[in-house]
Amino acid sequence: QQLRHLQDSAGIAARLPPRLEGRWVSTGCEVRPGPEFLTRSYLFYANRLFKALQFYYWDPSCRDPSYSLVIKGKLRLRQASWITRGATEADYHLHKVGIVFHSQKAMREVASWINQTSGEGCSGFLPPGRSWAPGALYEVLSAKTERDCTAALGFAMHELSLVRVERHYQPLLQLQQSGSQLVEELYLGDIHTDWGERLHYRPTGYQRPMQSALHHVHPCPTCGIISRADEHHPPILPARAALPMQLSGSWVSTHCEVRPAVLFLTRYFTFHGNNHTWEGHYYHYSDPLCRQPTFTIYASGHYTQGIPSSKVRGGTELAFKVTQARVTPMDQVTVVMLNSSEPGSCGLAGSWSAGVEQDITPTNGCLALGIKLPHTEYELFKTEQDTQERSLLYIGERPTDGSSPDSPDKRPTSYQAPLVQCAAASQEFSNYISLKYVGRKNANGNEALKPFPVAFLLFIALLFLRWD
């Protein structure tokens, strides 16, 4: 049902250019590479000015605030993106950025970063031993005085250079109510996974979407808390019970997902806890609604017992081995590319055709698609429950540069969009074959095979990108 829901695009509409006026808020505690834990509340005005609040925390539950940033500036929407279909490119100009500390510890730590790593104009940002003043706002960037001390924080607002707004209708869940309500989501550009690159990275993918403070999914207990917060009163999110890592079962994408290097995809996984094996179907598309399939990859292998992450609290570290893979080209462009590949590098040379699956295990992967077999990746997982008590699985974010987390030091410190659990552990993966193709009648009234969207990304490198 979830996969069919995605194939029908759930009635999603995306206007070009998007309308941004109003307040947009995080729907939970967000994790950025580093890791950084934060919530966001952005207000866009009709005159193109904006005021963005970013609240940073010590903990992955966003209950222990560290500092808040107040960002003011102007945003100008430009043309539809030539790189990321469905997105609008934008230019922004920052007028000022201020910081409010929420403890002496936060003040001491941030002042140390700025004093050590910034230029002459910032070396005396805060004198050593300065006592914390609750509610005091310190300026770290000013366009008027040309002072910018934000680099030490890893701060940049390049996320505003890529914008997409999606609108859809959510069925009312309350008893004795019928109909639906509008939900608006704001997708802003992704944050580079390499701290050193994030200051000048121009996004081609998205980060976790924000939702309209007026038109959001219900229930959303955190939306009201975040929308009412300000830099002096950061949001303290409700306490949530920690869930044990229970991978067994099947998991599926909740949206058509977008990745850097302009890939649109959906994912479907099954994990077998009894023997620690996994299987995944990954379908790639050429459009932001996942309606135009380009190629599919099936992959399988085994994984290790998880251990709690020492770097990303709340996460679990695992190692995955990919031992088998099969590829199905779904459009003529991919067929031509695979048939032009070097003999012995990707299945049987010259034998590829649209809609026909081929095993690439005997050729140790597929060089044209950047797949190398066997292959081990070092991963980061976590599970949560959403407000509807559905189990969600977060899997480590792929490196922005397209490389593979093939060593422990490359293990992710942030997450991709969550998957939702859609089957119990007892369901066999073979049952999924009934979802792979959905019968549709063609012009002659005969049943035609239509590929069903599920996509490739988790354990195998991206299209045209190579594993090291």
Side-chain angles (χ1 to χ4, degrees):
Q1 288 178 338
Q2 173 68 19
L3 293 170
R4 289 190 180 97
H5 172 75
L6 290 180
Q7 188 184 40
D8 294 337
S9 302
I12 291 172
R15 211 178 123 168
L16 288 174
R19 292 194 62 173
L20 295 180
E21 289 82 7
R23 185 174 296 280
W24 304 83
V25 295
S26 302
T27 57
C29 192
E30 301 177 352
V31 184
R32 284 186 174 180
E36 290 179 327
F37 308 112
L38 77 156
T39 57
R40 297 176 291 159
S41 176
Y42 292 2
L43 179 60
F44 295 93
Y45 300 95
N47 61 0
R48 301 191 300 183
L49 293 175
F50 69 86
K51 179 182 178 181
L53 298 174
Q54 294 182 350
F55 308 102
Y56 290 83
Y57 302 81
W58 299 107
D59 68 302
S61 300
C62 289
R63 291 181 53 77
D64 185 10
S66 170
Y67 63 89
S68 300
L69 295 180
V70 189
I71 305 133
K72 294 181 178 180
K74 195 164 191 175
L75 182 73
R76 182 173 69 90
L77 296 177
R78 297 172 57 215
Q79 74 278 357
S81 173
W82 287 55
I83 300 173
T84 307
R85 284 184 62 185
T88 297
E89 293 182 355
D91 291 328
Y92 71 92
H93 178 69
L94 297 182
H95 296 158
K96 57 175 64 177
V97 178
I99 187 169
V100 176
F101 302 105
H102 302 304
S103 67
Q104 180 72 41
K105 175 187 173 187
M107 183 179 189
R108 187 169 56 246
E109 199 161 288
V110 172
S112 172
W113 298 340
I114 294 176
N115 289 339
Q116 289 176 17
T117 61
S118 300
E120 285 184 18
C122 303
S123 57
F125 170 69
L126 282 176
R130 178 87 169 262
S131 61
W132 170 55
L137 177 70
Y138 302 92
E139 195 173 76
V140 290
L141 180 148
S142 170
K144 191 174 289 186
T145 64
E146 298 184 352
R147 186 189 196 207
D148 184 358
C149 305
T150 60
L153 302 172
F155 170 81
M157 286 299 286
H158 301 326
E159 62 192 275
L160 293 177
S161 63
L162 197 69
V163 182
R164 176 178 170 87
V165 173
E166 289 188 356
R167 295 161 56 101
H168 67 273
Y169 286 87
Q170 175 197 19
L172 292 172
L173 301 176
Q174 291 84 354
L175 293 173
Q176 299 176 336
Q177 283 187 303
S178 60
S180 58
Q181 59 193 17
L182 176 65
V183 174
E184 292 185 302
E185 293 187 307
L186 172 62
Y187 289 82
L188 296 176
D190 61 305
I191 308 299
H192 203 289
T193 53
D194 184 337
W195 184 278
E197 298 291 331
R198 64 197 294 181
L199 297 183
H200 52 81
Y201 168 65
R202 187 143 187 119
T204 56
Y206 304 120
Q207 56 185 303
R208 177 173 172 171
M210 306 169 79
Q211 292 189 5
S212 165
L214 290 177
H215 306 295
H216 57 262
V217 169
H218 289 275
C220 180
T222 63
C223 294
I225 296 173
I226 296 173
S227 64
R228 291 188 296 268
D230 61 40
E231 61 269 31
H232 304 295
H233 307 92
I236 309 297
L237 300 194
R240 304 181 69 169
L243 291 179
M245 177 59 64
Q246 297 287 351
L247 271 185
S248 294
S250 298
W251 307 80
V252 67
S253 297
T254 60
H255 293 86
C256 180
E257 301 170 5
V258 184
R259 296 290 183 276
V262 198
L263 292 171
F264 305 102
L265 55 121
T266 53
R267 301 172 287 156
Y268 182 97
F269 297 101
T270 293
F271 299 95
H272 305 283
N274 57 336
N275 58 6
H276 280 219
T277 59
W278 67 272
E279 305 177 72
H281 285 255
Y282 318 71
Y283 277 48
H284 285 267
Y285 300 84
S286 61
D287 69 296
L289 292 179
C290 288
R291 286 174 171 171
Q292 300 165 18
T294 54
F295 67 95
T296 309
I297 298 182
Y298 162 84
S300 64
H302 54 268
Y303 60 95
T304 61
Q305 184 77 35
I307 60 170
S309 171
S310 58
K311 195 166 187 180
V312 186
R313 277 191 291 157
T316 299
E317 296 180 353
L318 303 99
F320 280 78
K321 190 159 189 177
V322 189
T323 55
Q324 292 182 302
R326 302 195 292 266
V327 173
T328 309
M330 305 303 284
D331 67 353
Q332 205 52 42
V333 173
T334 308
V335 169
V336 171
M337 181 188 70
L338 294 177
N339 279 330
S340 303
S341 61
E342 184 181 339
S345 69
C346 185
L348 192 58
S351 66
W352 294 94
S353 58
V356 179
E357 186 179 67
Q358 190 172 151
D359 191 355
I360 58 169
T361 310
T363 53
N364 296 321
C366 179
L367 188 60
L369 295 178
I371 302 168
K372 180 183 176 184
L373 296 175
H375 184 74
T376 299
E377 298 201 341
Y378 294 84
E379 266 299 353
L380 179 73
F381 279 43
K382 75 169 176 177
T383 52
E384 284 184 358
Q385 276 195 327
D386 65 9
T387 53
Q388 300 171 38
E389 297 187 351
R390 300 180 304 173
S391 293
L392 300 178
L393 175 64
Y394 290 83
I395 298 173
E397 190 172 358
R398 303 296 303 183
T400 307
D401 64 5
S403 64
S404 169
D406 54 7
S407 62
D409 62 297
K410 292 184 179 180
R411 194 185 301 273
T413 56
S414 56
Y415 301 98
Q416 301 176 42
L419 307 173
V420 63
Q421 189 168 35
C422 59
S426 59
Q427 178 172 335
E428 288 301 318
F429 187 81
S430 58
N431 291 347
Y432 173 68
I433 196 69
S434 63
L435 296 176
K436 186 177 177 186
Y437 291 99
V438 180
R440 293 290 176 91
K441 292 192 175 178
N442 59 22
N444 300 322
N446 299 320
E447 286 290 317
L449 288 179
K450 180 175 179 66
F452 197 85
V454 190
F456 173 68
L457 186 69
L458 173 61
F459 306 112
I460 303 186
L462 306 177
L463 180 60
F464 303 127
L465 299 173
R466 297 182 57 189
W467 269 331
D468 294 335

